[in-house]
Every structure is written in structure tokens, then in C-alpha cells.
Amino acid sequence: MAPRSRPPRDAAATRSMARRRRRRRALAALALTGALIAGTAYGAWRYIDENEYLLDEHCEAVVAGETQRLSPAQAYSAAFLSASAAERGLPPEAALHAIAISLQETDLELREDEGELGERVLFARGVGSWAGEGSAEGTPIDSAGFYDLLEERAAAEDVDEDEDSEDEDAVVWEPDMPLDEASEALLRPHNPQFYPEHRSRAETFLSPLAGQSEASLTCTLSQLEDEIPSPDPQGVSEELVALLPAALEIPSTEYEGDEEDEEAEDFDPEPIPEGIVDLEGSSESGIVTVTPPENSELLDEGYSMDWMLAHWAVASAREYGIQTVELDSRMWDRDAAGWTDSSREDVAENTVRIGFDRDWDEE
């Protein structure tokens, strides 16, 4: 019996089936490609996120709707200039002018550091064109020299008009004077018209750094071990004692012998910070607790010491490996890069607690 022959397939139907198979294969290939791309993108994102390659380290101040940014190094310098003005009993406007002038002249970055706090070079060298023809007197370039001249020019206002004085023609520095005029009074070397450009940023950062606004300065910082300094609670303690001894009313040792002895001239008083700046533990387990006086006789009324100290610590976080800063019911956390409410009960009122442990336990 001859085999039954199959009827011939419809050519149109065969082509349609082939197209469907090709379409399914194409869709499967596209789905696989999409999955591979998504997996690769997710893996790359996780790698970048964990290694913080795209992290923009910065410090930010938000005051009265105004937001301004500085680098961590700039914020540290601004905090230093503000605290230095407070220590001298100068009004906050002195710090405002110092920060704005430094922004213009050195971008608020440390040029030289000789070890002593007052010798930090944050200003430009040069002589202002208004200093007089043939004048060889350079402008102060370190923080101590800057504030020395500012105090001298501020005191010039009190000089008796009838009293003969070499400074009777000097321009007087006043807290409320515009920045261009302040730059002339302080013999700054750049064109006076440039300095006012930096007032807004300086003013916004001064508010938290002088303690005038609460929880208004924060820093976004790396946590990579090879990019951050080791925790240094002792360094924080030593800098605070050296930077603000008068404002914190830190007593010093006294010479116990006869003041007329030769040894009395060489006696170097040592600060006694116990009860004011206390250090407990070391490295990551270290805690620095700062208890400022309630009413400092030296401090200008424009400052609030507790929030000035808290914001100083935030601005110094990258320098010293600080992880947390607490004041009253608020806490700055380096991981969160912001201020949050704290329920910790062991922090005394108006006391600043500075921590160095990333794995802090609020309870």
C-alpha cells in the first residue's frame, strides 16, 4: 500500500509561524539583555555607593531660607576664625569680616600652619594700594595678626582728638561698616570692590558658628577608612582648651613661689580644664564633654556658647574623625549627615557631647 502523502502546507501559514518563532526569540534575547544590563547597573551602583566614589563632601548652612556651602576644610577654617573672635571678646561682625576677607584672599583655605593656632595663615600677602606711597608695611596674613590689627583699628575710635597719635589718620574699623570699607580699614591687599561678593556666604555660616541659630550647620562626609583621619578625641580636647581658654573660663596653674624669683619669669601656666573640657577614653571609644559657663563675662552678647561649640564640632568632624555631636535633645550624626532628635538622657543640659564611635548606641 502506497504511503499516504501529506497535503501541502499553505505557504502563507508557514511564513507566519516562522515570523512568530523569530519574534519570540528576539523578545527572549531582549529580555535577557535587559536583565543583564539591569543587573550590571545595580551592581555598579552598589559598588559606587559602598565606595562613595560619587560622594560630594561638603558642609552646608541653612539660615532664614538661605542655603550656602563650603568644603569641610573651609568650614573648619570658618569655625576657627569665629571662635578666635569670640575668645578675644570681639563682636560676631569681626568674624564675619574675617571669614569674607579670607574667602576672597585664600578661598578660606589654610596656606601655612606653623603649629600655633594664631599662626594659621588664612589671608593673602601684599600691601593695599591705599596704604600710602612707599609704604613697606605688609598686611597681616595669619589670624592673630588680622585680629590684632582689627582691635587696633577698633580702638582708634576711642583716641582723643586732641591727643597726638601716630594712628590719628588711620581708618577706624566698626562692626557695621560695609565689607569694602572694612577691607580698607584693615589694609587688605585686594581691590575693595571684590570683598562684598562674599558677604552672603560668610553671613550664613557665621550664624551657626556664632551659635545664633540652632542645628543649622551640617556636613556630608566620607566614612571610608583610607580617606578619613583616625578618631582623635585628645586632639579635639587640646584644640578647644587652646582655642577658647578665656571664653570657657578655664583656670590655670599658678606659680607657688616668690613672684620676684628668676624662676617666676620662666613659669608657664598650665590650663586646668577638668569640669569644663573633659576627655574620657581614647580613639573610637573617646568622648569629649564640654560644659561652657552660663554667662561668660568675656563673650560678646552676639554669641551663644553652647551652639557655637556644637557647630564648631560639626565643622571639625572631618579633621578629627568625629561621628556624633549632641546638645540638649538634638544630635548630629555623621552617617545621617544631619541633625535629628535624641532621646539620650545622660547628656546634661547646655553640655556638648562629642563622640567618635560610628556604632554609637543611643540607649
Side-chain angles (χ1 to χ4, degrees):
M1 182 175 178
R4 182 182 298 175
S5 60
R6 294 181 179 179
R9 293 183 177 179
D10 186 276
T14 303
R15 287 195 296 271
S16 177
M17 292 172 63
R19 283 197 297 270
R20 285 198 295 270
R21 284 196 296 270
R22 287 196 297 271
R23 190 180 298 116
R24 283 196 294 268
R25 285 196 294 269
L27 290 173
L30 285 173
L32 178 61
T33 302
L36 289 172
I37 292 173
T40 302
Y42 177 75
W45 175 82
R46 286 296 303 272
Y47 184 80
I48 289 172
D49 181 62
E50 291 174 1
N51 291 277
E52 299 181 354
Y53 285 125
L54 300 181
L55 180 67
D56 174 23
E57 285 197 310
H58 65 275
C59 294
E60 187 173 85
V62 182
V63 179
E66 179 83 13
T67 300
Q68 295 286 349
R69 280 190 174 191
L70 291 174
S71 71
Q74 289 175 314
Y76 177 60
S77 294
F80 165 71
L81 289 173
S82 180
S84 298
E87 170 67 10
R88 288 171 173 254
L90 293 168
E93 289 82 3
L96 169 65
H97 289 173
I99 293 170
I101 288 171
S102 180
L103 276 168
Q104 166 61 32
E105 295 181 2
T106 65
D107 203 24
L108 200 54
E109 293 181 351
L110 187 64
R111 292 288 177 88
E112 297 175 29
D113 187 356
E114 301 297 330
E116 296 293 330
L117 289 179
E119 295 178 356
R120 292 181 179 178
V121 175
L122 289 163
F123 304 95
R125 287 180 169 84
V127 178
S129 61
W130 47 88
E133 278 189 37
S135 174
E137 181 184 359
T139 60
I141 60 172
D142 59 31
S143 59
F146 179 90
Y147 283 127
D148 283 346
L149 179 59
L150 185 146
E151 288 179 326
E152 177 186 321
R153 291 300 170 93
E157 185 178 12
D158 300 327
V159 174
D160 191 326
E161 294 181 359
D162 297 329
E163 182 180 342
D164 292 333
S165 172
E166 296 179 358
D167 296 328
E168 60 184 12
D169 294 329
V171 180
V172 174
W173 178 86
E174 297 176 345
D176 57 352
M177 67 192 327
L179 265 165
D180 54 347
E181 295 180 14
S183 69
E184 293 190 40
L186 300 174
L187 304 178
R188 302 320 307 167
H190 290 192
N191 189 317
Q193 296 179 358
F194 295 154
Y195 293 97
E197 298 175 6
H198 306 280
R199 182 180 184 91
S200 180
R201 190 152 54 141
E203 203 166 35
T204 301
F205 268 88
L206 175 66
S207 179
L209 292 175
Q212 298 170 348
S213 55
E214 300 181 2
S216 54
L217 186 152
T218 186
C219 292
T220 299
L221 304 170
S222 173
Q223 290 281 26
L224 295 180
E225 293 183 0
D226 58 347
E227 290 188 9
I228 62 174
S230 300
D232 188 9
Q234 184 172 352
V236 169
S237 175
E238 290 176 352
E239 175 152 345
L240 284 170
V241 171
L243 183 60
L244 294 164
L248 288 172
E249 297 181 3
I250 298 174
S252 299
T253 55
E254 297 180 359
Y255 184 67
E256 297 181 354
D258 190 338
E259 294 183 359
E260 296 183 0
D261 292 345
E262 293 183 2
E263 296 179 357
E265 297 181 3
D266 299 327
F267 176 73
D268 188 14
E270 293 291 332
I272 309 173
E274 287 76 12
I276 302 173
V277 180
D278 292 314
L279 170 61
E280 178 183 347
S282 61
S283 190
E284 290 185 359
S285 63
I287 297 290
V288 176
T289 304
V290 190
T291 306
E294 291 186 7
N295 296 298
S296 173
E297 295 182 1
L298 171 75
L299 205 65
D300 184 273
E301 61 182 12
Y303 298 90
S304 175
M305 179 65 86
D306 50 1
W307 277 106
M308 182 182 80
L309 290 166
H311 287 129
W312 176 91
V314 173
S316 305
R318 197 185 197 290
E319 185 76 12
Y320 290 109
I322 295 170
Q323 294 288 340
T324 58
V325 179
E326 296 173 76
L327 173 59
D328 297 338
S329 62
R330 305 304 302 277
M331 181 180 74
W332 176 82
D333 177 21
R334 185 174 182 141
D335 273 325
W339 290 89
T340 59
D341 293 332
S342 172
S343 59
R344 190 192 293 273
E345 298 179 355
D346 60 346
V347 180
E349 187 177 357
N350 298 325
T351 296
V352 179
R353 185 180 189 272
I354 304 170
F356 300 81
D357 187 359
R358 186 177 184 182
D359 299 321
W360 56 273
D361 183 2
E362 193 170 18
E363 298 179 0

